[in-house]
């Protein structure tokens, strides 16, 4: 049945008159209803669009029952829908035919050892988008703070879509990210959607691992121009997953305040000591941990005082002797 509530009062009045007086001309309908002829023509047009009128003569219309008009409209809609579905099926078949070409060309990008280089930020985002759509079980992410602006985080819409499919998402941030408004907001949003979110003092690199079978390691632009590597080699993936699990096990919930007591160093101090022992300067340590150089200088001074060390080298030696670097 047609919904006549979408018609204005004039159109309904014209329709009733056409039903009551099948042979009436437009002028006669105008006189009968005492409305301008132009309004009759407008109403006739609306009624004809709804298939409630069909041409009957040079200046006349024949009224059609609402049931018949409804059938006519539905038949046209079904035909249009069938044509649309046919077009979609043809497009899908055409795209599917390219799958073999795509996979063949994609395999040529993979170098020895199952490592593929990705050049350009847009190409990297396309790879992350594709892997996010195809993953089925897990996504594990390491997100260091200050490890390079060109290395993109997983994007919020992708994360939410992955979580909506029931995929388990584990994301590790550096603790310094808790003080970054955008990072903290991002962490809260995905945590609310079901992601497991933790933080540690220091992370080695950006890393995304999908289903434990493919990893993406975003890089800064180097001599080769590559912005990331995509790794599918099972042996390398096993090492990367072990690295992730080790950090995950000693991580704390994102947003938790570090509690420290006793004579040993805090997690932050331990990370600073390790970087000091590796010969890193305060500026480098600050950049890797994600805090200000002034904060690192204060931590270093405090550690040297606690260790009664006259130099950074001596502080490293005494820290190792105390077991603080373990």
């Amino acid at each position: 049945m047609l919904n006549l509530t979408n018609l204005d009062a004039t159109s309904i009045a014209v329709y009733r008159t056409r039903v009551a007086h099948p042979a009436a001309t437009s002028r006669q309908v105008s006189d009968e209803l005492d409305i301008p002829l132009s309004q009759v023509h407008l109403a006739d047009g609306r009624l004809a669009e709804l298939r409630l009128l069909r041409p009957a003569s040079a200046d006349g219309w024949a009224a059609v029952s609402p049931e018949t008009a409804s059938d006519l409209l539905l038949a046209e809609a079904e035909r249009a829908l069938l044509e649309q579905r046919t077009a979609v099926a043809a497009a899908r078949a055409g795209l599917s035919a390219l799958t073999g070409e795509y996979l063949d060309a994609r395999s040529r990008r993979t170098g020895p050892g199952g490592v593929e280089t990705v050049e350009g930020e847009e190409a990297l985002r396309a790879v992350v988008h594709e892997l996010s759509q195809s993953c089925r079980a897990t996504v594990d992410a390491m997100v260091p703070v200050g490890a390079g602006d060109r290395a993109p985080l997983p994007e919020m819409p992708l994360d939410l879509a992955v979580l909506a499919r029931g995929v388990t998402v584990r994301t590790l941030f550096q603790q310094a990210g808790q003080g970054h408004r955008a990072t903290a907001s991002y962490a809260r949003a995905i945590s609310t959607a079901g992601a497991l979110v933790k933080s540690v003092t220091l992370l080695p690199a950006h890393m995304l691992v999908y289903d434990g079978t493919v990893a993406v390691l975003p890089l800064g632009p180097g001599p080769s121009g590559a912005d990331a590597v995509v790794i599918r080699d099972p042996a390398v993936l096993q090492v990367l997953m072990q690295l992730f699990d080790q950090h995950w096990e000693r991580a704390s919930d994102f947003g938790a305040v570090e509690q420290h007591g006793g004579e040993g160093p805090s997690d932050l101090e331990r990370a600073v000591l390790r970087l000091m022992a590796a010969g890193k300067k305060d500026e480098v340590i600050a950049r890797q941990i994600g805090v200000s150089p002034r904060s690192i200088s204060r931590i270093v001074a405090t550690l040297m005082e606690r260790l009664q060390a006259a130099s950074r080298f001596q502080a490293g030696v005494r820290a190792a002797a105390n077991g603080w670097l373990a």
Side-chain angles (χ1 to χ4, degrees), residues 114-155:
V115 177
E116 171 190 342
T117 59
V118 180
E119 299 180 1
E121 185 174 342
E122 290 304 318
L124 175 54
R125 291 186 182 278
V127 168
V128 170
H129 187 273
E130 178 183 340
L131 293 173
S132 297
Q133 286 188 318
S134 62
C135 72
R136 292 293 176 265
T138 61
V139 177
D140 297 312
M142 279 187 180
V143 187
V145 175
D149 294 335
R150 289 180 59 84
L153 301 180
E155 297 178 11

Side-chain angles (χ1 to χ4, degrees), residues 172-190:
L172 270 173
F173 291 95
Q174 284 187 186
Q175 289 176 352
Q178 298 173 172
H180 296 187
R181 181 177 301 177
T183 302
S185 176
Y186 170 84
R188 285 194 299 271
I190 62 173

Side-chain angles (χ1 to χ4, degrees), residues 44-66:
D44 286 339
R46 295 191 189 99
L47 294 167
E49 289 178 356
L50 292 173
R51 304 299 185 267
L52 288 167
L53 294 181
R54 58 180 176 81
S57 63
D59 189 31
W61 295 87
V64 177
S65 71

Side-chain angles (χ1 to χ4, degrees), residues 6-291:
N6 293 329
L7 291 173
D8 58 85
T10 300
S11 297
I12 293 175
V14 169
Y15 179 69
R16 290 172 59 88
T17 303
R18 294 285 189 193
V19 172
H21 306 284
T25 64
S26 296
R27 173 59 67 183
Q28 290 171 333
V29 173
S30 173
D31 294 340
E32 174 72 18
L33 297 176
D34 193 22
I35 59 175
L37 183 61
S38 60
Q39 290 189 20
V40 174
H41 290 322
L42 287 174
D44 286 339
R46 295 191 189 99
L47 294 167
E49 289 178 356
L50 292 173
R51 304 299 185 267
L52 288 167
L53 294 181
R54 58 180 176 81
S57 63
D59 189 31
W61 295 87
V64 177
S65 71
E67 291 82 359
T68 300
S70 178
D71 290 341
L72 291 172
L73 284 175
L74 288 176
E76 292 180 3
E78 289 174 351
R79 183 170 60 254
L81 182 59
L82 178 59
E83 292 176 353
Q84 185 179 25
R85 287 178 175 174
T86 301
V88 169
R92 191 186 302 278
L95 291 173
S96 297
L98 292 174
T99 300
E101 299 292 337
Y102 171 80
L103 294 176
D104 179 65
R106 180 70 178 268
S107 66
R108 297 177 186 178
R109 293 181 356 197
T110 304
V115 177
E116 171 190 342
T117 59
V118 180
E119 299 180 1
E121 185 174 342
E122 290 304 318
L124 175 54
R125 291 186 182 278
V127 168
V128 170
H129 187 273
E130 178 183 340
L131 293 173
S132 297
Q133 286 188 318
S134 62
C135 72
R136 292 293 176 265
T138 61
V139 177
D140 297 312
M142 279 187 180
V143 187
V145 175
D149 294 335
R150 289 180 59 84
L153 301 180
E155 297 178 11
M156 183 79 71
L158 298 181
D159 281 339
L160 298 181
V162 166
L163 288 165
R165 298 202 308 268
V167 174
T168 299
V169 176
R170 297 188 299 172
T171 302
L172 270 173
F173 291 95
Q174 284 187 186
Q175 289 176 352
Q178 298 173 172
H180 296 187
R181 181 177 301 177
T183 302
S185 176
Y186 170 84
R188 285 194 299 271
I190 62 173
S191 178
T192 301
L196 305 174
V197 182
K198 289 187 175 185
S199 64
V200 293
T201 303
L202 184 64
L203 288 172
H206 275 87
M207 184 171 71
L208 299 170
V209 183
Y210 297 89
D211 290 334
T213 60
V214 56
V216 180
L217 275 66
L219 308 171
S224 65
D227 290 289
V229 290
V230 179
I231 300 172
R232 294 181 171 84
D233 182 83
V236 178
L237 283 164
Q238 183 178 5
V239 173
L240 292 176
M241 287 307 303
Q242 289 175 350
L243 178 66
F244 182 92
D245 289 338
Q246 288 172 0
H247 283 79
W248 183 262
E249 289 172 3
R250 61 184 179 85
S252 57
D253 291 339
F254 188 86
V257 178
E258 180 182 2
Q259 301 294 331
H260 174 60
E263 298 181 356
S266 66
D267 287 344
L268 176 58
E269 290 171 336
R270 194 184 305 275
V272 172
L273 283 168
R274 287 171 177 165
L275 293 172
M276 286 174 58
K280 305 293 185 182
K281 301 297 183 182
D282 289 358
E283 293 78 7
V284 177
I285 297 174
R287 185 167 60 253
Q288 292 190 10
I289 293 180
V291 299

